């Protein structure tokens, strides 16, 4: 099953047929997942901020969300994030395929390996985003004429405040491409569960200091415009989705 996790400005999947919401109980809390299908392919859609954008980024229950999708049989996840750009070459409206991350979050529940009965484990982050799944996402985008900028480095910040101009300069100097508040620990938890994780970021604004002002309404407005392209991309991915995986994401060697 293909899982879709979406954030700010992307709260529903119009393509989802026979949709129904399931409240999945996990050991880490509950998660609301919309189950449906497209062209006979089963899909699971999870809006990470909840209905009506009621959950701020630092309080999202990432562990419950990933565990809920895993319990439903999801093997691949496409995450959609609204982000700020650290490069003038990536203006608002750009779509970026994420390849790596820098983590500046704190105080979040970021692992399932908490010791005791949960055990201790160390997950490899050599390839945080599944390369095989990335190729499929990129191929789908090319098939429908959507440009995806490649090799994006996602800088994860705590939020919910936006970043300062000095922070934006620092992130760019460190090699960041875009900045957001929800990409981590989501990608790490997916890796711990052996899931293929891919991410497409939608640039909604330039970072602080690169523009005069940043407003949440601006972010939502750009996301609303990008939703049509995202829906087409999701339709292409779902239509050609195959259960077989040609990667090592689910292997025992991923976590040691």
């Amino acid at each position: 099953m293909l899982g879709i996790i979406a954030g700010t400005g992307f709260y529903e999947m119009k393509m989802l047929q026979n949709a129904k919401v399931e409240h999945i109980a996990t050991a880490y809390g509950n998660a609301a997942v919309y189950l449906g299908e497209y062209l006979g392919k089963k899909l699971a859609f999870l809006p990470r901020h909840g209905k009506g954008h009621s959950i701020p980024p630092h309080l999202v229950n990432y562990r419950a969300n990933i565990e809920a999708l895993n319990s439903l049989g999801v093997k691949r996840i496409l995450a959609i994030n609204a982000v700020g750009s650290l490069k003038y070459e990536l203006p608002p409206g750009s779509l970026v395929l994420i390849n790596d991350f820098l983590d500046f979050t704190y105080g979040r529940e970021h692992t399932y390996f908490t010791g005791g009965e949960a055990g201790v484990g160390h997950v490899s982050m050599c390839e945080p985003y599944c390369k095989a799944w990335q190729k499929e996402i990129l191929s789908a985008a090319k098939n429908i004429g959507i440009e995806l900028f490649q090799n994006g480095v996602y800088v994860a910040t705590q939020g919910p405040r936006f970043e300062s101009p000095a922070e934006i300069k620092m992130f760019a100097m460190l090699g960041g491409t875009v900045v957001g508040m929800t990409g981590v620990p989501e990608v790490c938890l997916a890796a711990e569960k052996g899931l293929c994780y891919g991410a497409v970021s939608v640039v909604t604004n330039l970072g602080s200091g690169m523009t005069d002002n940043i407003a949440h309404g601006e972010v939502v407005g750009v996301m609303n415009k990008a939703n049509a392209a995202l829906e087409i991309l999701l339709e292409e991915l779902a239509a050609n989705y195959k259960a077989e995986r040609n990667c090592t994401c689910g292997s025992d060697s991923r976590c040691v």
Side-chain angles (χ1 to χ4, degrees):
M1 184 188 298
L2 174 59
I4 310 297
I5 303 178
T8 300
F10 197 103
Y11 305 121
E12 63 177 336
M13 287 178 61
K14 296 178 182 178
M15 61 181 279
L16 202 60
Q17 302 165 346
N18 304 317
K20 61 177 182 178
V21 63
E22 293 281 350
H23 296 278
I24 311 297
T26 78
Y28 313 98
N30 299 332
V33 183
Y34 293 83
L35 300 177
E37 58 185 40
Y38 179 75
L39 299 180
K41 306 289 182 68
K42 293 182 179 180
L43 300 174
F45 172 62
L46 195 158
R48 66 169 69 83
H49 293 291
K51 186 176 181 180
H53 199 103
S54 59
I55 308 171
H58 64 297
L59 295 181
V60 170
N61 193 335
Y62 296 97
R63 291 197 300 179
N65 288 349
I66 294 298
E67 176 58 23
L69 294 178
N70 182 58
S71 70
L72 290 169
V74 167
K75 297 301 180 184
R76 293 188 188 91
I77 293 173
L78 176 62
I80 297 171
N81 309 81
V83 297
S85 175
L86 300 175
K87 297 179 178 292
Y88 287 107
E89 310 92 271
L90 292 175
S94 302
L95 301 181
V96 184
L97 185 64
I98 304 302
N99 186 65
D100 208 339
F101 69 82
L102 291 166
D103 183 16
F104 286 88
T105 64
Y106 52 87
R108 301 184 180 192
E109 298 290 353
H110 62 279
T111 183
Y112 293 108
F113 298 118
T114 55
E117 293 184 3
V120 175
H122 308 279
V123 64
S124 170
M125 285 286 108
C126 290
E127 293 181 11
Y129 303 86
C130 176
K131 286 188 174 180
W133 183 218
Q134 281 182 313
K135 288 181 180 179
E136 290 188 42
I137 297 169
L138 185 60
S139 177
K142 288 182 177 179
N143 289 343
I144 56 179
I146 290 179
E147 183 178 13
L148 281 185
F149 292 90
Q150 300 181 55
N151 300 316
V153 176
Y154 183 106
V155 180
T157 61
Q158 181 69 0
R161 68 168 178 85
F162 289 116
E163 303 73 33
S164 73
E167 287 173 323
I168 291 297
K169 288 181 181 179
M170 176 184 69
F171 296 150
M173 290 175 64
L174 291 174
T177 307
V178 297
V179 58
M181 305 173 189
T182 56
V184 183
E186 200 171 83
V187 59
C188 307
L189 293 168
E192 288 187 356
K193 289 296 179 181
L195 307 181
C196 298
Y197 186 93
V200 172
S201 290
V202 181
V203 174
T204 58
N205 56 275
L206 296 174
S208 299
M210 301 170 66
T211 184
D212 293 334
N213 187 39
I214 302 174
H216 183 70
E218 174 190 358
V219 172
V220 174
V222 175
M223 277 299 301
N224 287 339
K225 292 180 181 179
N227 281 351
L230 292 171
E231 283 274 356
I232 296 172
L233 176 60
L234 292 173
E235 288 174 359
E236 180 71 9
L237 283 169
N240 296 288
Y241 184 77
K242 297 179 180 179
E244 298 79 16
R245 294 194 288 176
N246 184 27
C247 64
T248 59
C249 292
S251 67
D252 293 337
S253 63
R254 187 72 188 270
C255 292
V256 294

